[in-house]
Amino acid sequence: MRARPTRRTALTAGALAATSPLLPAYAAEADPAARPGTPTDDPWSRVPAILARIRPPRFPQHRYDIRDFGAVGDGVTKNTAAIRRAIEACHRAGGGHVVVPAGGRFLTGAIRLRSRVNLRVDGTVLFSTDPADYLPMVLTRWEGTECWNYSPFVYAHGERDLAVTGHGTLDGQGMDGPWKSWRDPGGGQPADQAELRRMGEQGVPVEQRLFGAGHFLRPNMVQFYRCRNVLIQDVTVLEPAMWTLHPVLCTNVLIKDVDVIGRINNSDGVDPECCADVLITGCRFHTEDDSVAVKSGRDEDGHRVGVPSRNIVVRDCVFSGRWGGIAVGSEMSGGAYDIFAEDCRINPLDFPGRHNPRHPVFLKTNTKRGGAIDGVYVRDFTGRQIDRDCVYLTTRYSGQTGPYPAVIRDVRVEHMVHDGARRALHLEGLASDPFGPVRVAHCDFTGMSEPNLIEAAPELRLHKVYVNGSEVHV
């Protein structure tokens, strides 16, 4: 294994020091090395420039204890209005820290954050299980399609310099509310899901895609929509109703040292969607779906918005999620470029999942999605005991077909060590859309029960890849 800086030394003073209050939106076209499809000898050489742009927001030192605005931390009193008053007071005064104090359990409905506000969680924020507490509806994105729906539990739209920090807990009570029943057979979510997808495919104006009261699309836990300069640090996030941390159309996002634990279906850990310049580092994921899933919109609606995800770095994380560790897709119709993941552990003994994960690396698309996955770079992953394949690339996801090319190209996996899986490599391509260059090098896979399965990958290159002690070749 190469000698190189640790996470903390690599996050230089320029990347994490106190910085200017606002950053301009990053234009990838200004940097030729960041343009999709631009070859470089070492794609990792682009990472320092990405990290230099990811700078956490700064906040004035003013503190606004939510108890001073009427909040009661007894786990019973509903504090939605008190928390809103504290956030508005902080915002009007130019910013600061809205404090959820240690020792209390503060029940609330939807929390809407504003610019220059750090929600400092030292106690427990306990989210209501009553869907009415997440009304009125807000503009959101639900599984890659824009609509108006219940508010995410923590939400912001069009804000700058905002954060959720502290060593406390956001508890979504996802298994205690009605949310699971909505998705279960006989619940209302499948019908609403199909209707929203129809609206997206047929180009129904977003202002007419009205869900919320009387409907059954589960809200996300934390969603920042069209925001800049976002920090989520140190908190534990428990039991979402659905996706957990979901920045959408955001720039300059740092998610650091966060634990995400969820038992409900589709409880992804972090889903950066149509985002640029994102660092996810030091986090632990114990979820019932992908741990980190890079997304960029779904089908026709994703093409309409037309914004890719790019320049995303994942480091020093632990993946015990049910499906993918680092995943891209399946909602990726806007494209995904330059995704870097390194030094992550899969299903380790000190943080095992309730169920074995399935794929440390999971790239998924189909000809209905379109878009392109172009530039995914993974190195120094270690893992044990997963149910399926260590590296799974598919352009046949869910068996869906459509009129678009299914593009996965420039994928590199290096220095992966894994023990216990079905296969080391499963590349499931299409003859009409073969994979572009895929390189796997310096990897050691043991305890594999089946041989590699390679389909439509003419540009696969293997170098010093060992499966069950024997070097394998294309």
Side-chain angles (χ1 to χ4, degrees):
M1 188 171 295
R2 297 168 316 286
R4 48 185 183 75
T6 66
R7 167 174 58 94
R8 287 175 175 80
T9 59
L11 292 176
T12 63
L16 288 180
T19 61
S20 58
L22 294 177
L23 297 176
Y26 172 59
E29 288 73 21
D31 178 6
R35 293 175 186 159
T38 300
T40 62
D41 291 336
D42 180 13
W44 288 93
S45 67
R46 300 197 287 272
V47 170
I50 297 170
L51 295 180
R53 293 191 298 268
I54 300 172
R55 303 179 179 184
R58 298 179 64 188
F59 301 95
Q61 292 303 309
H62 308 302
R63 294 169 61 88
Y64 298 80
D65 190 318
I66 61 173
R67 293 174 298 186
D68 295 336
F69 295 84
V72 178
D74 59 6
V76 177
T77 303
K78 202 165 286 184
N79 297 290
T80 311
I83 294 173
R84 181 174 62 247
R85 288 192 294 268
I87 290 171
E88 289 300 322
C90 179
H91 172 69
R92 286 195 306 268
H97 306 266
V98 171
V99 178
V100 178
R105 290 168 57 81
F106 295 88
L107 181 66
T108 185
I111 295 173
R112 185 155 185 167
L113 282 185
R114 301 296 305 277
S115 295
R116 304 284 286 161
V117 173
N118 171 24
L119 181 64
R120 172 78 193 192
V121 180
D122 293 319
T124 296
V125 177
L126 193 66
F127 287 97
S128 168
T129 58
D130 182 355
D133 288 326
Y134 303 96
L135 297 172
M137 294 182 294
V138 300
L139 175 64
T140 184
R141 216 173 198 184
W142 199 88
E143 286 193 341
T145 303
E146 290 191 318
C147 64
W148 288 78
N149 191 35
Y150 294 102
S151 172
F153 294 179
V154 179
Y155 177 75
H157 183 277
E159 307 287 351
R160 298 182 176 189
D161 298 307
L162 63 165
V164 179
T165 69
H167 294 279
T169 299
L170 301 176
D171 186 349
Q173 301 196 95
M175 297 293 285
D176 298 325
W179 319 114
K180 187 175 185 300
S181 69
W182 288 8
R183 184 194 181 278
D184 285 346
Q189 180 175 295
D192 280 336
Q193 181 182 53
E195 176 63 6
L196 176 59
R197 290 179 181 172
R198 181 196 69 80
M199 291 176 167
E201 290 172 0
Q202 296 182 4
V204 173
V206 175
E207 60 269 20
Q208 296 177 23
R209 305 176 192 175
L210 303 177
F211 293 85
H215 293 275
F216 303 95
L217 298 181
R218 294 173 291 162
N220 294 168
M221 183 83 167
V222 179
Q223 185 181 86
F224 296 134
Y225 205 99
R226 293 191 180 273
C227 295
R228 291 167 58 186
N229 313 333
V230 172
L231 172 65
I232 305 174
Q233 183 172 355
D234 293 331
V235 292
T236 296
V237 189
L238 298 177
E239 305 297 0
M242 195 184 155
W243 293 0
T244 310
L245 306 179
H246 186 201
V248 182
L249 292 158
C250 291
T251 302
N252 185 28
V253 177
L254 173 59
I255 300 174
K256 184 174 187 291
D257 296 336
V258 174
D259 280 9
V260 177
I261 301 172
R263 291 176 292 164
I264 205 165
N265 298 91
N266 308 119
S267 58
D268 294 21
V270 179
D271 296 274
E273 185 164 7
C274 302
C275 291
D277 295 343
V278 177
L279 173 60
I280 301 164
T281 182
C283 299
R284 302 194 302 173
F285 300 98
H286 191 319
T287 64
E288 287 302 298
D289 213 311
D290 297 328
S291 293
V292 176
V294 178
K295 300 180 181 291
S296 61
R298 183 185 181 102
D299 302 339
E300 287 78 5
D301 205 58
H303 290 287
R304 176 186 64 82
V305 176
V307 176
S309 278
R310 66 190 331 150
N311 301 328
I312 295 173
V313 180
V314 180
R315 285 181 154 178
D316 293 336
C317 290
V318 178
F319 301 139
S320 295
R322 186 73 172 116
W323 279 92
I326 180 68
V328 182
S330 66
E331 300 87 355
M332 43 63 62
S333 299
Y337 310 117
D338 287 345
I339 314 301
F340 299 87
E342 64 177 340
D343 293 320
C344 294
R345 298 185 296 146
I346 295 89
N347 200 31
L349 288 171
D350 60 349
F351 194 70
R354 286 179 296 275
H355 308 284
N356 288 341
R358 290 177 175 165
H359 308 291
V361 179
F362 188 13
L363 311 187
K364 42 186 170 173
T365 185
N366 56 47
T367 57
K368 185 172 176 58
R369 296 287 186 271
I373 298 172
D374 189 345
V376 178
Y377 312 107
V378 177
R379 66 185 185 186
D380 295 326
F381 272 31
T382 60
R384 55 173 290 277
Q385 295 305 315
I386 62 169
D387 284 343
R388 298 189 184 176
D389 311 317
C390 297
V391 178
Y392 181 31
L393 280 55
T394 180
T395 49
R396 310 178 199 171
Y397 185 71
S398 290
Q400 295 175 322
T401 60
Y404 299 105
V407 177
I408 297 179
R409 68 178 305 277
D410 196 14
V411 177
R412 305 188 191 188
V413 179
E414 302 170 298
H415 299 277
M416 175 181 282
V417 177
H418 192 96
D419 181 59
R422 181 174 62 182
R423 297 186 187 93
L425 307 177
H426 186 182
L427 275 57
E428 185 179 64
L430 293 166
S432 59
D433 297 292
F435 293 120
V438 176
R439 174 181 167 84
V440 183
H442 304 286
C443 294
D444 190 5
F445 302 99
T446 55
M448 302 293 114
S449 61
E450 298 182 23
N452 294 334
L453 180 57
I454 310 296
E455 300 174 277
E459 296 183 75
L460 173 65
R461 299 293 181 265
L462 304 180
H463 178 66
K464 294 188 177 180
V465 175
Y466 295 87
V467 176
N468 295 338
S470 298
E471 186 171 6
V472 296
H473 303 277
V474 178

